[in-house]
Amino acid sequence: MNATDVGQAHFPGALLGEMSEDEFFARYWRRRYLHIPGGADHLLPLMPSLAMVESFLDAPCYLEADVAHFISLTVDSRPPIRQWAVGIGAPRHRDRDEAVNLMPAERWFPSLIPLAGALERAFVAPPSLQLFWGPPGGGANPHRDSNDSFVIQIVGPKRWLGTDIADLRPMVSGNSGAEFPSDLRTFDLEPGDVLYKPSHAVHATKSGTVATLSLTCSIVTRTAADLVLDLLRERMAEDPVWLERLPLAQGAQASDDDLARPRIEAALAELLGLTLADLEHRARS
């Protein structure tokens, strides 16, 4: 499949095989896992090979702690401003027993750019494309992610363990600490398979006896907290009271800080009163 075909394809339908998008969103979206055998067979030509990814990962590199950063300015302090990173230690080599999450994948493998663009247009949300290289026998412990994801298996077999979403959406646990309830589901992915993982669903992975490669396409939808913060920033930008210095100093005699206290109190009161309708309107804007 070439880039033009991806640009013209309709997502997520292009990943769902024979299933319609209406059925997917009604039965699975943010509720249940869905395994589509061969759902990405037509996308495999866009994917980097295992050899390409391993060659990239095996190049000597520096850990962030080994790197000195600095910024240089033009003589007249006008753009461009350049940021530099300089290695100050010996280059490192990765541990081949450790799994690798390479992101953003499209930065390093431009053939994936059309896929990222197609997903962004489909969901009106920025995708996060992550290439996962897994060593033989490697995997991830049970955890939760906040984003809905479509996983495309590229090389090797990989087992996923997961649970569907219960009535109450669970808390995000990060990369560890989650526990599986009794209704554990097992998905054995082969190259070309697609697995839809709902946001907040507990999951774990395990590679077989060979190295594996997969692409996780996460849809980075905005949370209620993101929208609240956006609205607060907009309101604060309209009122210079939020430029006041903190903490405020109180003196024996009146000062600018003394006068600022009632202004900040009033401004804080005005920030209250947000409604769900405000958030939904902000999400659509």
Side-chain angles (χ1 to χ4, degrees):
M1 189 173 192
N2 59 43
T4 302
D5 294 332
V6 173
Q8 295 175 348
H10 196 280
F11 287 85
L15 299 171
L16 300 178
E18 299 299 320
M19 180 177 293
S20 70
E21 291 187 3
D22 287 343
E23 181 181 0
F24 169 73
F25 283 112
R27 297 185 55 195
Y28 295 94
W29 179 247
R30 294 185 177 166
R31 297 178 182 87
R32 302 170 57 195
Y33 282 87
L34 176 63
H35 180 198
I36 308 105
D41 281 342
H42 57 298
L43 295 175
L44 289 181
L46 295 178
M47 305 295 157
S49 67
L50 183 65
M52 293 168 62
V53 172
E54 290 184 338
S55 176
F56 179 85
L57 295 177
D58 289 336
C61 59
Y62 294 92
L63 295 177
E64 186 174 0
D66 297 330
V67 176
H69 301 268
F70 66 89
I71 295 175
S72 65
L73 307 176
T74 54
V75 174
D76 55 3
S77 297
R78 307 181 77 178
I81 297 174
R82 300 180 178 88
Q83 299 188 44
W84 303 80
V86 179
I88 58 177
R92 307 293 185 90
H93 294 270
R94 69 186 178 101
D95 186 339
R96 293 185 62 86
D97 291 329
E98 294 180 353
V100 176
N101 175 3
L102 183 59
M103 60 182 293
E106 68 273 22
R107 176 179 178 181
W108 311 113
F109 298 98
S111 63
L112 299 174
I113 291 176
L115 176 59
L119 290 170
E120 183 167 8
R121 289 191 297 274
F123 289 95
V124 196
S128 172
L129 268 55
Q130 307 160 53
L131 275 168
F132 281 88
W133 179 91
N141 292 327
H143 63 284
R144 301 182 181 98
D145 305 319
S146 60
N147 299 317
D148 297 89
S149 301
F150 296 89
V151 179
I152 298 173
Q153 192 63 22
I154 303 172
V155 176
K158 191 170 186 178
R159 170 165 288 186
W160 278 68
L161 304 173
T163 57
D164 294 330
I165 296 298
D167 290 339
L168 294 177
R169 196 173 296 273
M171 296 293 291
V172 176
S173 65
N175 290 327
S176 63
E179 295 182 358
F180 285 122
S182 58
D183 56 342
L184 182 64
R185 303 182 63 186
T186 301
F187 308 96
D188 290 313
L189 272 60
E190 298 289 338
D193 286 3
V194 173
L195 180 68
Y196 164 69
K197 177 194 67 62
S199 56
H200 302 280
V202 181
H203 59 283
T205 61
K206 187 72 173 180
S207 296
T209 58
V210 298
T212 60
L213 185 65
S214 59
L215 179 71
T216 295
C217 306
S218 295
I219 310 303
V220 188
T221 49
R222 309 188 71 197
T223 67
D226 294 330
L227 299 174
V228 169
L229 292 174
D230 281 350
L231 287 170
L232 291 178
R233 290 189 186 97
E234 289 179 359
R235 296 187 180 188
M236 289 178 174
E238 298 171 353
D239 190 343
V241 71
W242 298 113
L243 299 178
E244 294 284 0
R245 302 158 298 172
L246 289 177
L248 297 176
Q250 296 188 53
Q253 299 180 353
S255 68
D256 289 345
D257 284 2
D258 294 322
L259 298 175
R261 300 184 71 85
R263 291 200 300 267
I264 295 177
E265 290 283 359
L268 280 171
E270 292 177 2
L271 290 179
L272 303 179
L274 292 177
T275 67
L276 181 58
D278 294 328
L279 300 188
E280 292 176 331
H281 181 268
R282 185 66 178 83
R284 290 190 292 266
S285 63

